[in-house]
Amino acid sequence: MKFCSACGASVSLQVPAGDSLPRHVCVDCGEIHYLNPKMVVGAIPVWEEKILLCRRAIEPRLGKWTLPAGFMENRETTAEAAARETLEEACARITVGPLFALVNIPEISQVHLFYRAQMLDLEFAAGIESLEVALFAESDIPWDTLAFRSVRFALERFFEDRRNGQYGTHAQDLSLLHSHTKEGT
Amino acid sequence: MKFCSACGASVSLQVPAGDSLPRHVCVDCGEIHYLNPKMVVGAIPVWEEKILLCRRAIEPRLGKWTLPAGFMENRETTAEAAARETLEEACARITVGPLFALVNIPEISQVHLFYRAQMLDLEFAAGIESLEVALFAESDIPWDTLAFRSVRFALERFFEDRRNGQYGTHAQDLSLLHSHTKEGT
Ligand SMILES: [Zn+2]
Ligand SMILES: [Zn+2]
């Protein structure tokens, strides 16, 4: 950020009164511009024993497999975001269930949420951001060509919980250096 | 948003190619500026049978009671945000436990998260954004002067789960018109 989005003047990095971190402050109108983490919300769409995955048609990780997920929009709920992304990327309609995984990636200021979801029918197809979309049994998941570590975490925990017959809510902090898993109750 | 934060030129609302929603697009450099929901992260700090609440010294809801919570910063995790806000607003140190509540407020594009937390000691005091900070037993919670409905939801579910001897992860969508509670497993 170099310019004030409110008035177009320059911004400078300053610690505002009563604050503890440097912020982009407008040198003209004084507006303080805060930068906040972004939420990426996705679904784990289930049909019988299988999971719906999308192969990415866009960077990053073009050609790799992912759960349908994307940046949450203003004025929607997390569940609405999960359903919208599934419709956009996989042309599939789902009923969104409970929150299943929350993954922090602080180095890029992102929080990823994945919801359990039930597919309403067998209609699905590659959306504009997908090369192909397919249902995978656990034994066929393309573990070596998954796009994101948060997707791997959600899938691993999902199959583990399914084997145990009880689904929880799982959390993980991802870093380029290490990863730390924190389990919920 | 009226001006491009990258180059200072004007922005106009347009639907970019391949997109479905109008975005603020720079008329000069072409940068697309996305607006995304903000996360508010807080804690439910517990000491024995009591919960730590803060009385707000700032608007909105000046003078009302709240759980320590605030906007998540870039480059921190959700648990770090909960601990930081508790330190800033209540001068209290906590161990952050599992995620307890997720509240969507789509009309203001916010997602509130509350974590269960254990106070490390009995040292606490009003931070700069608090008028006072105090421990409350369930029977003493100031239900009529709580600052936010998401705080009420988190506290109600917390005491309910404590009575039942098992804590879950709870979700709610709040609206000015109605509220809808979705329970996790
Ligand atoms: Zn300005
Ligand atoms: Zn520009």
Side-chain angles (χ1 to χ4, degrees), chain A:
Chain A
M1 161 166 278
K2 292 178 182 163
F3 297 93
C4 175
S5 56
C7 80
S10 297
V11 294
S12 73
L13 276 177
Q14 303 171 22
V15 180
D19 204 338
S20 55
L21 290 174
R23 311 288 181 182
H24 293 92
V25 181
C26 178
V27 298
D28 192 355
C29 76
E31 178 95 3
I32 304 169
H33 300 280
Y34 297 92
L35 299 176
N36 298 101
K38 292 194 190 335
M39 301 182 75
V40 170
V41 184
I44 308 172
V46 174
W47 180 265
E48 294 172 354
E49 295 301 300
K50 295 181 172 176
I51 307 292
L52 195 67
L53 297 180
C54 309
R55 201 155 74 83
R56 288 173 63 81
I58 54 172
E59 294 291 357
R61 315 295 162 79
L62 192 154
K64 307 277 185 170
W65 290 93
T66 185
L67 290 165
F71 286 107
M72 188 177 172
E73 302 274 7
N74 272 357
R75 301 185 73 81
E76 69 182 356
T77 66
T78 45
E80 288 167 351
R84 177 183 52 72
E85 290 291 343
T86 304
L87 189 63
E88 287 178 8
E89 299 186 355
C91 304
R93 293 173 310 125
I94 56 173
T95 298
V96 178
L99 178 65
F100 184 71
L102 185 156
V103 180
N104 278 285
I105 315 173
E107 289 164 19
I108 54 171
S109 299
Q110 289 186 3
V111 178
H112 294 196
L113 300 182
F114 293 98
Y115 280 84
R116 285 163 55 206
Q118 199 63 47
M119 293 173 66
L120 295 183
D121 51 49
L122 266 175
E123 286 181 42
F124 58 84
I128 194 164
E129 296 182 359
S130 303
L131 294 170
E132 58 179 316
V133 174
L135 284 167
F136 290 89
E138 180 178 0
S139 54
D140 298 327
I141 295 282
W143 294 108
D144 293 338
T145 51
L146 291 180
F148 302 108
R149 282 200 285 165
S150 61
V151 168
R152 169 181 295 274
F153 174 74
L155 288 173
E156 286 176 347
R157 290 292 85 70
F158 179 85
F159 291 121
E160 192 175 301
D161 280 11
R162 189 166 74 175
R163 277 192 297 276
N164 293 333
Q166 188 172 4
Y167 294 96
T169 304
H170 303 275
Q172 184 185 48
D173 296 343
L174 276 181
S175 149
L176 302 178
L177 300 172
H178 63 280
S179 73
H180 174 59
T181 300
K182 291 182 294 192
E183 290 298 326
T185 45

Side-chain angles (χ1 to χ4, degrees), chain B residues 158-179:
Chain B
F158 179 85
F159 292 121
E160 192 175 301
D161 279 11
R162 190 166 74 176
R163 276 192 298 276
N164 294 332
Q166 188 171 5
Y167 294 96
T169 303
H170 302 275
Q172 184 186 48
D173 295 343
L174 275 181
S175 150
L176 302 179
L177 300 172
H178 63 280
S179 73

Side-chain angles (χ1 to χ4, degrees), chain B:
Chain B
M1 160 166 278
K2 292 178 181 162
F3 297 93
C4 174
S5 55
C7 81
S10 298
V11 294
S12 74
L13 275 176
Q14 303 169 23
V15 180
D19 203 337
S20 55
L21 289 174
R23 311 289 181 182
H24 293 91
V25 181
C26 179
V27 298
D28 191 354
C29 77
E31 178 95 4
I32 304 169
H33 299 280
Y34 297 92
L35 299 176
N36 298 101
K38 291 194 189 342
M39 301 183 74
V40 170
V41 184
I44 307 172
V46 174
W47 180 265
E48 294 172 353
E49 296 300 300
K50 294 182 173 175
I51 308 292
L52 195 67
L53 296 180
C54 309
R55 202 154 73 84
R56 289 173 63 82
I58 53 172
E59 294 289 357
R61 316 295 162 79
L62 192 154
K64 307 276 185 170
W65 290 93
T66 186
L67 291 164
F71 287 106
M72 189 177 172
E73 302 275 7
N74 272 357
R75 300 185 74 79
E76 69 182 356
T77 67
T78 45
E80 287 166 352
R84 177 183 51 72
E85 290 290 344
T86 304
L87 189 62
E88 287 177 9
E89 299 186 355
C91 304
R93 293 173 310 126
I94 56 173
T95 298
V96 178
L99 178 65
F100 184 71
L102 185 157
V103 180
N104 278 285
I105 316 173
E107 288 163 21
I108 55 171
S109 299
Q110 288 186 2
V111 178
H112 294 196
L113 300 182
F114 293 98
Y115 281 84
R116 285 163 55 205
Q118 200 63 46
M119 293 173 66
L120 295 183
D121 51 51
L122 266 175
E123 286 180 43
F124 58 83
I128 195 164
E129 296 182 358
S130 304
L131 294 170
E132 58 179 316
V133 174
L135 284 167
F136 290 88
E138 179 178 1
S139 55
D140 298 325
I141 296 282
W143 295 107
D144 294 338
T145 51
L146 290 180
F148 303 107
R149 282 200 285 166
S150 61
V151 168
R152 168 181 295 273
F153 174 74
L155 288 172
E156 285 176 347
R157 289 294 83 73
F158 179 85
F159 292 121
E160 192 175 301
D161 279 11
R162 190 166 74 176
R163 276 192 298 276
N164 294 332
Q166 188 171 5
Y167 294 96
T169 303
H170 302 275
Q172 184 186 48
D173 295 343
L174 275 181
S175 150
L176 302 179
L177 300 172
H178 63 280
S179 73
H180 175 59
T181 300
K182 290 181 295 192
E183 290 298 325
T185 46

